[in-house]
Amino acid sequence: MNILITGGAGFIGSHVVRLLVNKYPHYNIVNLDKLTYAGNLANLADVENAPNYTFVRADICDYDTILAILQQYHIDGIIHLAAESHVDRSIRDPFAFARTNVMGTLSMLQAARTYWESLPERYEGKRFYHISTDEVYGALEFDGTFFTEDTRYNPHSPYSASKASSDHFVRAYHDTYGMPTIVTNCSNNYGAYQFPEKLIPLFINNIRNRRPLPVYGKGENVRDWLFVEDHARAIDTIFHSGRVAETYNIGGFNEWRNIDLIKLLIATVDRLLGNPEGHSIDLITYVTDRPGHDLRYAIDSTKLKNELGWQPSLQFEEGLERTVAWYLNNQEWLDNVTSGEYMQYYDQMYNNSNTSNPQ
Ligand code: NAD
Ligand code: DAU
């Protein structure tokens, strides 16, 4: 199989690329990424020379280039993760989210349609797998309910509105053109290689630098946390065995109030840094709430468990400790991404050429 993964230089994408490159030496894995601030080839240093791996720098909004890449690499399957992914950025610059998440997804769909419909076998053996978020469902109250695959879409932020729109386009391509599509909606991921604008890596970085920890509102919002490698395993399972035209929710049944998670995080970082207990608690700083801040997310992933046997592998405390240890052992990575140093060679390296294994 020839598989195109979009957004493979980002947080979740890099874990998916690594898993598939190592697990399926007989597949060709093409990683297509624009290398925005969130894309970092250092995330894939351990697989960049693998014979079944190719990196292509491209923008998913560039239909002609995407079509040419699908043709050049004879792509059978697409796992589409490329997106603008940070809610706070979407509040500041919603157009960027409409462009990449909506128009970019549409451009991927249309290029896949053009290429696959040009082949004698058309959609036979093909798959367009779109990675989405639980945020499209809106927010839950503190009432013990969960998002299921049948929950009505009700997005509140420009980010979640753009992801909801892209999900609708993906389903429309199945219903209108018969494209074999799958959509999954996942809860908050945590783990190595997450850009330190998101809660967990931002706070780890701030604790190690003795900077304030900005808690939005009262810190009472609830998120459902999943270890990123468990998400990557779910993506592998669903890509290979999920039913076409279906939606699967992915989550860890692991709800945490932000303030409780932050206190656990502080205790874990302090312990691993050898600080006395409670050393960094004074860094907690309550700040103005995020506009439209969704109160609670909680995913019911029973369908995925019953149909495909997937379930999370880690307890949260263990996953969080592994995550904190990774960031503390990879402070150079953190320093590079916070200074922007990792980006400075990309334009030079990929100038006028969108295909390369950077060596
Ligand atoms: P990320 O921001 O870490 O990575 C996004 C990647 O997409 C980057 O490598 C970036 O360079 C690339 N990209 C952005 N715009 C592009 C464009 N126009 N063309 C090509 N590449 C482009 O994101 P992430 O957290 O890894 O999320 C990946 C996907 O998973 C997104 O679709 C997101 O909506 C979804 N998701 C994320 C989470 C989470 O907790 N992080 C949870 C559920 C779903
Ligand atoms: O639910 C899945 C979503 O999870 C993904 O679709 C998004 O791509 C991903 O970014 C994430 O969205 P959140 O907005 O939930 O993640 P974030 O890490 O930005 O925030 C987590 C919670 O912590 C949220 O309630 C806001 C709060 N927060 C966040 C930051 C960055 C703070 O209190 N302070 C902060 O500085």
Side-chain angles (χ1 to χ4, degrees):
M1 263 198 127
N2 301 316
I3 300 177
L4 182 80
I5 299 175
T6 71
F11 166 48
I12 301 171
S14 63
H15 288 277
V16 176
V17 167
R18 179 176 298 100
L19 177 66
L20 298 196
V21 165
N22 289 328
K23 186 170 171 184
Y24 303 105
H26 53 296
Y27 286 2
N28 291 312
I29 306 296
V30 180
N31 170 15
L32 184 156
D33 199 296
K34 183 181 175 183
L35 300 179
T36 68
Y37 79 96
N40 183 355
L41 290 176
N43 298 356
L44 289 164
D46 53 332
V47 295
E48 71 183 11
N49 293 319
N52 61 338
Y53 172 71
T54 306
F55 174 70
V56 182
R57 189 181 195 187
D59 185 336
I60 56 167
C61 300
D62 181 352
Y63 168 84
D64 292 333
T65 300
I66 299 300
L67 178 58
I69 290 166
L70 296 181
Q71 290 165 334
Q72 179 181 351
Y73 293 99
H74 307 283
I75 295 299
D76 308 298
I78 296 172
I79 305 179
H80 176 43
L81 297 108
E84 290 292 339
S85 68
H86 190 41
V87 174
D88 294 328
R89 284 180 191 258
S90 82
I91 294 167
R92 290 196 295 273
D93 184 9
F95 278 112
F97 284 69
R99 178 185 181 276
T100 293
N101 299 358
V102 185
M103 291 305 291
T105 299
L106 182 54
S107 145
M108 289 298 307
L109 286 162
Q110 184 62 12
R113 178 182 165 225
T114 304
Y115 173 50
W116 289 337
E117 288 190 358
S118 76
L119 300 174
E121 75 272 21
R122 290 173 62 88
Y123 291 119
E124 187 66 41
K126 307 293 184 282
R127 182 152 292 200
F128 190 107
Y129 176 5
H130 176 62
I131 308 299
S132 191
T133 171
D134 58 0
E135 300 202 12
V136 299
Y137 297 125
L140 297 165
E141 298 294 326
F142 295 123
D143 57 3
T145 56
F146 293 90
F147 297 134
T148 72
E149 288 80 0
D150 297 323
T151 301
R152 189 173 74 88
Y153 273 34
N154 186 20
H156 296 134
S157 72
Y159 164 68
S160 53
S162 69
K163 291 296 290 186
S165 172
S166 64
D167 295 8
H168 292 318
F169 271 108
V170 173
R171 295 192 180 102
Y173 266 64
H174 171 268
D175 296 349
T176 308
Y177 306 112
M179 185 179 286
T181 60
I182 294 189
V183 177
T184 56
N185 298 84
C186 188
S187 61
N188 285 64
N189 284 216
Y190 70 97
Y193 301 113
Q194 187 170 31
F195 195 82
E197 62 187 349
K198 310 281 167 57
L199 181 75
I200 290 179
L202 174 73
F203 278 31
I204 295 172
N205 193 36
N206 284 9
I207 295 168
R208 87 180 168 106
N209 289 306
R210 290 282 309 152
R211 289 200 203 111
L213 306 175
V215 180
Y216 297 163
K218 295 180 178 159
E220 286 175 348
N221 303 65
V222 168
R223 295 291 181 267
D224 179 358
W225 293 92
L226 180 69
F227 190 55
V228 64
E229 292 177 32
D230 281 334
H231 188 190
R233 266 195 314 109
I235 290 172
D236 174 28
T237 302
I238 294 163
F239 179 75
H240 287 94
S241 310
R243 284 184 296 136
V244 162
E246 288 292 324
T247 298
Y248 297 89
N249 279 354
I250 309 173
F253 289 109
N254 179 42
E255 290 178 55
W256 283 79
R257 238 178 19 138
N258 286 344
I259 193 64
D260 298 332
L261 184 157
I262 288 161
K263 286 179 180 162
L264 176 64
L265 187 60
I266 290 171
T268 309
V269 178
D270 274 343
R271 182 161 44 78
L272 295 190
L273 283 176
N275 293 332
E277 202 179 323
H279 175 75
S280 301
I281 208 83
D282 62 320
L283 298 176
I284 289 179
T285 310
Y286 290 92
V287 300
T288 309
D289 208 353
R290 173 187 277 174
H293 197 175
D294 287 330
L295 186 62
R296 172 175 167 256
Y297 302 146
I299 275 278
D300 180 350
S301 52
T302 309
K303 175 178 172 180
L304 177 56
K305 184 177 177 209
N306 289 348
E307 263 191 35
L308 301 177
W310 175 91
Q311 55 187 351
S313 68
L314 278 186
Q315 289 299 309
F316 185 60
E317 285 77 358
E318 185 190 345
L320 192 68
E321 172 141 353
R322 272 170 60 173
T323 300
V324 171
W326 186 87
Y327 286 99
L328 296 182
N329 290 331
N330 290 275
Q331 301 201 21
E332 201 184 338
W333 182 93
L334 266 177
D335 290 334
N336 277 341
V337 294
T338 45
S339 69
E341 197 173 318
Y342 67 109
M343 293 187 75
Q344 71 190 7
Y345 301 109
Y346 290 155
D347 287 334
Q348 219 179 319
M349 201 187 298
Y350 298 107
N351 204 13
N352 300 327
S353 138
N354 60 25
T355 304
S356 171
N357 259 322
Q359 287 165 21

